[in-house]
Coordinates of all heavy atoms in Angstrom, one line a residue:
M28 N 101.3 29.8 268.2 CA 102.7 29.5 268.3 C 103.4 30.6 269.2 O 103.2 31.8 269.0 CB 103.4 29.5 267.0 CG 104.9 29.3 267.0 SD 105.5 29.3 265.3 CE 106.7 28.1 265.5
W29 N 104.2 30.2 270.2 CA 104.8 31.1 271.1 C 106.2 31.4 270.5 O 107.1 30.5 270.6 CB 104.9 30.5 272.5 CG 105.4 31.4 273.5 CD1 106.6 31.2 274.2 CD2 104.8 32.5 274.0 NE1 106.7 32.3 275.2 CE2 105.6 33.1 275.0 CE3 103.6 33.2 273.7 CZ2 105.3 34.2 275.7 CZ3 103.3 34.3 274.4 CH2 104.1 34.8 275.4
R30 N 106.4 32.6 270.0 CA 107.7 32.9 269.2 C 108.8 33.4 270.1 O 109.9 33.7 269.6 CB 107.3 33.9 268.2 CG 106.4 33.4 267.1 CD 106.1 34.4 266.1 NE 105.5 35.6 266.7 CZ 104.5 36.3 266.2 NH1 104.0 35.9 265.1 NH2 104.1 37.4 266.8
I31 N 108.6 33.6 271.4 CA 109.6 34.2 272.3 C 110.0 33.3 273.4 O 110.3 33.7 274.5 CB 109.1 35.6 272.8 CG1 107.8 35.4 273.5 CG2 109.1 36.6 271.7 CD1 107.3 36.7 274.2
Q32 N 110.0 32.0 273.1 CA 110.3 31.0 274.1 C 111.7 31.2 274.7 O 111.9 31.0 275.9 CB 110.3 29.6 273.5 CG 110.5 28.4 274.4 CD 109.4 28.2 275.5 OE1 108.3 28.7 275.3 NE2 109.7 27.5 276.5
D33 N 112.7 31.7 274.0 CA 114.0 32.0 274.5 C 114.1 33.1 275.5 O 114.9 33.2 276.3 CB 115.0 32.2 273.3 CG 114.6 33.4 272.4 OD1 113.4 33.6 272.2 OD2 115.5 34.0 271.9
I34 N 113.2 34.1 275.3 CA 113.1 35.3 276.2 C 112.2 35.0 277.4 O 112.6 35.3 278.6 CB 112.6 36.5 275.5 CG1 113.5 36.9 274.3 CG2 112.5 37.7 276.4 CD1 113.0 38.0 273.4
A35 N 111.0 34.5 277.1 CA 110.0 34.2 278.2 C 109.4 32.9 278.0 O 108.4 32.7 277.2 CB 109.0 35.3 278.1
P36 N 110.0 31.9 278.6 CA 109.5 30.5 278.4 C 108.0 30.4 278.7 O 107.5 30.9 279.7 CB 110.3 29.6 279.3 CG 111.5 30.4 279.6 CD 111.1 31.9 279.5
R37 N 107.2 29.7 277.8 CA 105.8 29.5 278.0 C 105.6 28.5 279.2 O 106.3 27.6 279.4 CB 105.2 28.9 276.8 CG 103.8 28.7 276.8 CD 103.3 28.2 275.4 NE 101.9 27.8 275.5 CZ 101.3 27.2 274.6 NH1 101.9 26.9 273.5 NH2 100.1 26.8 274.7
L38 N 104.6 28.8 280.0 CA 104.3 28.0 281.1 C 103.7 26.7 280.7 O 103.0 26.6 279.7 CB 103.3 28.7 282.1 CG 103.7 30.0 282.7 CD1 102.6 30.6 283.5 CD2 105.0 29.8 283.5
G39 N 104.1 25.6 281.4 CA 103.6 24.3 281.0 C 102.2 24.0 281.4 O 101.6 24.7 282.1
A40 N 101.7 22.9 281.0 CA 100.3 22.5 281.2 C 100.0 22.3 282.7 O 98.9 22.5 283.2 CB 100.0 21.2 280.5
D41 N 101.0 21.9 283.5 CA 100.8 21.6 284.9 C 101.1 22.8 285.8 O 101.3 22.7 287.0 CB 101.6 20.4 285.4 CG 101.2 19.1 284.7 OD1 99.9 19.0 284.5 OD2 102.0 18.3 284.5
T42 N 101.2 24.0 285.2 CA 101.6 25.2 285.9 C 100.3 26.0 286.3 O 99.4 26.1 285.5 CB 102.4 26.2 285.0 OG1 103.6 25.5 284.6 CG2 102.8 27.4 285.7
H43 N 100.3 26.5 287.5 CA 99.2 27.3 288.0 C 99.7 28.7 288.2 O 100.7 28.9 288.8 CB 98.7 26.7 289.4 CG 98.2 25.3 289.2 ND1 96.9 25.1 288.8 CD2 98.8 24.1 289.4 CE1 96.7 23.8 288.8 NE2 97.8 23.2 289.1
L44 N 99.0 29.6 287.7 CA 99.4 31.0 287.7 C 98.3 31.8 288.5 O 97.1 31.8 288.2 CB 99.5 31.6 286.3 CG 99.8 33.1 286.2 CD1 101.2 33.3 286.7 CD2 99.7 33.5 284.7
G45 N 98.7 32.5 289.5 CA 97.8 33.3 290.3 C 97.5 34.6 289.6 O 98.3 35.3 289.0
V46 N 96.2 35.0 289.6 CA 95.7 36.2 289.0 C 95.0 37.0 290.0 O 94.2 36.4 290.8 CB 94.8 35.9 287.8 CG1 94.3 37.1 287.2 CG2 95.6 35.0 286.8
P47 N 95.2 38.3 290.1 CA 94.5 39.1 291.2 C 93.0 39.1 290.9 O 92.6 39.0 289.8 CB 95.1 40.5 291.1 CG 96.0 40.5 289.9 CD 96.1 39.1 289.3
E48 N 92.3 39.4 292.0 CA 90.8 39.6 291.9 C 90.6 40.9 291.0 O 91.5 41.8 291.0 CB 90.2 39.8 293.2 CG 90.3 38.6 294.1 CD 89.3 37.5 293.7 OE1 88.3 37.9 293.1 OE2 89.6 36.4 294.0
L49 N 89.5 41.0 290.4 CA 89.2 42.2 289.6 C 89.2 43.4 290.4 O 89.3 44.5 289.9 CB 87.9 42.0 288.8 CG 88.0 41.0 287.6 CD1 86.7 40.9 286.9 CD2 89.1 41.5 286.6
T50 N 89.0 43.3 291.7 CA 88.9 44.5 292.6 C 90.2 44.9 293.1 O 90.3 45.9 293.8 CB 87.9 44.2 293.8 OG1 88.4 43.0 294.4 CG2 86.5 43.9 293.3
S51 N 91.3 44.1 292.8 CA 92.6 44.4 293.3 C 93.3 45.4 292.4 O 93.8 45.1 291.3 CB 93.5 43.2 293.4 OG 93.0 42.3 294.4
T52 N 93.4 46.7 292.9 CA 94.0 47.7 292.1 C 95.1 48.5 292.8 O 95.6 49.5 292.2 CB 92.9 48.8 291.6 OG1 92.3 49.3 292.8 CG2 91.8 48.1 290.8
R53 N 95.5 48.0 293.9 CA 96.5 48.7 294.7 C 97.3 47.7 295.5 O 96.9 46.6 295.8 CB 95.9 49.7 295.7 CG 95.2 50.8 295.1 CD 94.7 51.8 296.0 NE 94.1 52.8 295.3 CZ 93.5 53.9 295.8 NH1 93.5 54.0 297.1 NH2 92.9 54.8 295.0
R54 N 98.5 48.1 295.9 CA 99.4 47.3 296.8 C 98.7 47.3 298.1 O 97.9 48.2 298.4 CB 100.7 47.9 296.8 CG 101.5 47.9 295.5 CD 102.8 48.5 295.6 NE 103.3 48.7 294.3 CZ 104.4 49.4 294.0 NH1 105.0 50.0 294.9 NH2 104.8 49.5 292.7
P55 N 99.0 46.4 299.0 CA 100.0 45.3 298.9 C 99.5 44.2 298.1 O 98.3 44.0 297.9 CB 100.2 44.9 300.3 CG 99.0 45.2 301.0 CD 98.4 46.4 300.3
G56 N 100.4 43.3 297.7 CA 100.0 42.1 297.0 C 99.9 42.3 295.5 O 100.2 43.4 295.0
T57 N 99.4 41.3 294.8 CA 99.2 41.4 293.3 C 98.0 42.3 293.0 O 97.0 42.4 293.8 CB 99.0 40.1 292.7 OG1 97.9 39.4 293.3 CG2 100.2 39.2 292.8
Y58 N 98.1 43.1 292.0 CA 97.1 44.0 291.6 C 97.1 44.3 290.1 O 98.1 44.0 289.4 CB 97.1 45.3 292.4 CG 98.4 46.1 292.1 CD1 98.3 47.2 291.2 CD2 99.6 45.9 292.7 CE1 99.4 47.9 290.9 CE2 100.7 46.6 292.5 CZ 100.6 47.6 291.5 OH 101.7 48.4 291.3
W59 N 96.1 44.8 289.5 CA 96.0 45.2 288.1 C 96.5 46.6 287.9 O 96.0 47.5 288.5 CB 94.6 45.1 287.6 CG 94.0 43.7 287.6 CD1 93.2 43.1 288.6 CD2 94.3 42.7 286.7 NE1 92.9 41.8 288.3 CE2 93.6 41.5 287.1 CE3 95.0 42.6 285.5 CZ2 93.6 40.3 286.4 CZ3 95.1 41.4 284.8 CH2 94.3 40.3 285.2
A60 N 97.5 46.7 287.1 CA 97.9 48.1 286.7 C 96.9 48.7 285.8 O 96.6 49.9 285.8 CB 99.3 48.0 286.0
V61 N 96.3 47.9 284.9 CA 95.2 48.3 284.0 C 94.1 47.2 284.2 O 94.4 46.0 283.9 CB 95.6 48.4 282.6 CG1 94.4 48.7 281.7 CG2 96.7 49.4 282.4
L62 N 92.9 47.6 284.6 CA 91.9 46.6 284.8 C 91.4 46.1 283.5 O 91.2 46.8 282.6 CB 90.7 47.3 285.5 CG 90.8 47.5 287.0 CD1 89.6 48.4 287.5 CD2 90.9 46.2 287.8
P63 N 91.1 44.8 283.5 CA 90.5 44.2 282.3 C 89.0 44.7 282.2 O 88.4 45.1 283.2 CB 90.5 42.7 282.6 CG 90.9 42.5 284.0 CD 91.4 43.8 284.5
G64 N 88.5 44.7 281.0 CA 87.1 45.1 280.8 C 86.1 44.2 281.5 O 85.1 44.7 281.9
F65 N 86.4 43.0 281.6 CA 85.5 42.0 282.2 C 86.3 40.7 282.5 O 87.5 40.6 282.0 CB 84.4 41.6 281.2 CG 84.8 41.2 279.8 CD1 85.1 39.9 279.5 CD2 84.9 42.2 278.8 CE1 85.5 39.6 278.3 CE2 85.3 41.9 277.6 CZ 85.6 40.5 277.3
E66 N 85.8 39.8 283.3 CA 86.5 38.6 283.6 C 86.8 37.8 282.4 O 85.9 37.6 281.5 CB 85.6 37.8 284.6 CG 86.3 36.6 285.1 CD 85.5 35.8 286.2 OE1 84.7 36.4 286.8 OE2 85.8 34.6 286.3
G67 N 88.0 37.4 282.2 CA 88.4 36.6 281.0 C 88.9 37.5 279.8 O 89.2 37.0 278.8
D68 N 88.9 38.8 280.0 CA 89.3 39.7 279.0 C 90.8 39.8 278.9 O 91.5 40.3 279.8 CB 88.8 41.1 279.3 CG 89.1 42.2 278.3 OD1 89.4 41.8 277.1 OD2 89.1 43.4 278.6
L69 N 91.4 39.1 277.9 CA 92.8 39.0 277.8 C 93.3 39.7 276.5 O 92.6 39.9 275.5 CB 93.3 37.6 277.7 CG 92.8 36.7 278.9 CD1 93.1 35.2 278.6 CD2 93.5 37.2 280.2
C70 N 94.6 40.2 276.5 CA 95.1 40.8 275.3 C 95.5 39.7 274.3 O 95.6 38.5 274.6 CB 96.3 41.6 275.7 SG 97.8 40.7 276.3
E71 N 95.7 40.2 273.1 CA 96.2 39.3 272.0 C 97.6 38.8 272.3 O 98.4 39.6 272.8 CB 96.2 40.0 270.7 CG 94.8 40.3 270.2 CD 94.0 39.1 269.8 OE1 94.6 38.1 269.3 OE2 92.8 39.1 270.1
P72 N 98.0 37.6 272.1 CA 99.3 37.1 272.4 C 100.4 38.0 271.7 O 101.4 38.2 272.2 CB 99.3 35.7 271.8 CG 97.9 35.2 271.9 CD 97.1 36.5 271.6
S73 N 100.1 38.5 270.5 CA 101.1 39.3 269.8 C 101.4 40.6 270.5 O 102.5 41.1 270.5 CB 100.7 39.6 268.3 OG 99.4 40.3 268.4
T74 N 100.4 41.2 271.2 CA 100.6 42.4 272.0 C 101.5 42.1 273.2 O 102.4 42.9 273.5 CB 99.2 42.9 272.5 OG1 98.4 43.2 271.4 CG2 99.4 44.2 273.3
F75 N 101.3 41.0 273.8 CA 102.1 40.6 274.9 C 103.5 40.3 274.5 O 104.5 40.7 275.1 CB 101.5 39.4 275.7 CG 102.3 39.0 276.9 CD1 102.2 39.7 278.0 CD2 103.1 37.8 276.9 CE1 103.0 39.3 279.2 CE2 103.8 37.4 278.0 CZ 103.7 38.2 279.1
E76 N 103.7 39.6 273.3 CA 105.0 39.3 272.8 C 105.8 40.6 272.6 O 106.9 40.7 272.9 CB 104.9 38.5 271.5 CG 104.5 37.1 271.7 CD 104.3 36.4 270.4 OE1 104.6 36.9 269.3 OE2 103.8 35.2 270.4
G77 N 105.1 41.6 272.0 CA 105.7 42.9 271.8 C 106.2 43.6 273.1 O 107.3 44.1 273.1
L78 N 105.4 43.5 274.1 CA 105.8 44.0 275.4 C 107.1 43.3 276.0 O 108.0 43.9 276.4 CB 104.7 43.8 276.4 CG 105.0 44.2 277.9 CD1 105.3 45.7 278.0 CD2 103.8 43.8 278.8
V79 N 107.1 41.9 275.8 CA 108.2 41.1 276.3 C 109.5 41.5 275.5 O 110.5 41.7 276.1 CB 107.9 39.6 276.3 CG1 109.1 38.8 276.6 CG2 106.8 39.3 277.2
V80 N 109.4 41.6 274.2 CA 110.5 41.8 273.4 C 111.1 43.2 273.7 O 112.3 43.4 273.9 CB 110.2 41.7 271.9 CG1 111.3 42.3 271.0 CG2 109.9 40.2 271.6
A81 N 110.2 44.2 273.8 CA 110.6 45.6 274.1 C 111.3 45.7 275.5 O 112.3 46.3 275.7 CB 109.4 46.6 274.0
S82 N 110.6 45.0 276.5 CA 111.2 45.1 277.8 C 112.5 44.4 277.9 O 113.4 44.8 278.6 CB 110.2 44.4 278.8 OG 109.0 45.0 278.8
S83 N 112.7 43.3 277.2 CA 113.9 42.5 277.2 C 115.0 43.4 276.6 O 116.2 43.4 277.0 CB 113.8 41.2 276.4 OG 115.0 40.5 276.3
A84 N 114.7 44.1 275.5 CA 115.7 45.0 274.9 C 116.1 46.1 275.8 O 117.3 46.4 275.9 CB 115.1 45.6 273.6
V85 N 115.2 46.7 276.5 CA 115.6 47.7 277.5 C 116.5 47.2 278.6 O 117.5 47.8 278.9 CB 114.3 48.4 278.1 CG1 114.7 49.3 279.3 CG2 113.6 49.2 277.1
L86 N 116.1 46.0 279.1 CA 116.9 45.4 280.2 C 118.3 45.0 279.7 O 119.2 45.0 280.5 CB 116.2 44.2 280.8 CG 114.9 44.5 281.6 CD1 114.2 43.2 281.9 CD2 115.2 45.3 282.8
S87 N 118.4 44.7 278.5 CA 119.7 44.3 278.0 C 120.5 45.4 277.5 O 121.7 45.3 277.1 CB 119.6 43.2 276.8 OG 119.0 43.9 275.7
G88 N 119.9 46.6 277.5 CA 120.6 47.8 277.0 C 120.6 48.0 275.5 O 121.2 48.8 274.9
D89 N 119.8 47.2 274.8 CA 119.6 47.3 273.4 C 118.3 47.8 273.0 O 117.6 47.3 272.2 CB 119.8 45.9 272.8 CG 119.9 45.9 271.2 OD1 120.3 46.9 270.7 OD2 119.6 44.9 270.6
D90 N 117.9 49.0 273.6 CA 116.5 49.5 273.4 C 116.5 50.6 272.2 O 116.0 51.7 272.4 CB 116.0 50.1 274.7 CG 116.9 51.2 275.3 OD1 118.1 51.2 275.0 OD2 116.4 52.0 276.0
R91 N 117.0 50.2 271.1 CA 117.0 51.1 269.9 C 115.6 51.3 269.4 O 114.8 50.5 269.3 CB 117.9 50.6 268.8 CG 119.3 50.4 269.2 CD 120.0 49.8 268.1 NE 120.6 48.6 268.6 CZ 121.1 47.6 267.9 NH1 121.1 47.7 266.6 NH2 121.7 46.6 268.4

């Protein structure tokens, strides 16, 4: 269940999202700030939700 739809709407089934190559670690273009351990290595959704909620609070000035 995606609990932060109001802050960061979940992409739909027909959405295509570009992901950088595992070798892309610098600008220009898209790159990994932190390299995944292996292809397909993704974080837990709850970890990502925490990042989105914290970032949203900072941007709105409510970063208590």
Side-chain angles (χ1 to χ4, degrees):
M28 176 182 216
W29 189 245
R30 297 180 301 223
I31 55 174
Q32 184 70 16
D33 57 327
I34 300 171
R37 184 175 169 189
L38 300 177
D41 293 328
T42 302
H43 298 275
L44 178 66
V46 178
E48 296 286 334
L49 287 177
T50 56
S51 296
T52 58
R53 296 184 179 181
R54 296 177 192 169
T57 57
Y58 65 96
W59 294 100
V61 176
L62 282 173
F65 52 88
E66 187 174 336
D68 183 23
L69 302 172
C70 67
E71 291 294 323
S73 60
T74 302
F75 184 73
E76 287 177 7
L78 173 67
V79 170
V80 169
S82 300
S83 178
V85 169
L86 291 172
S87 71
D89 188 25
D90 57 336
R91 300 178 238 166

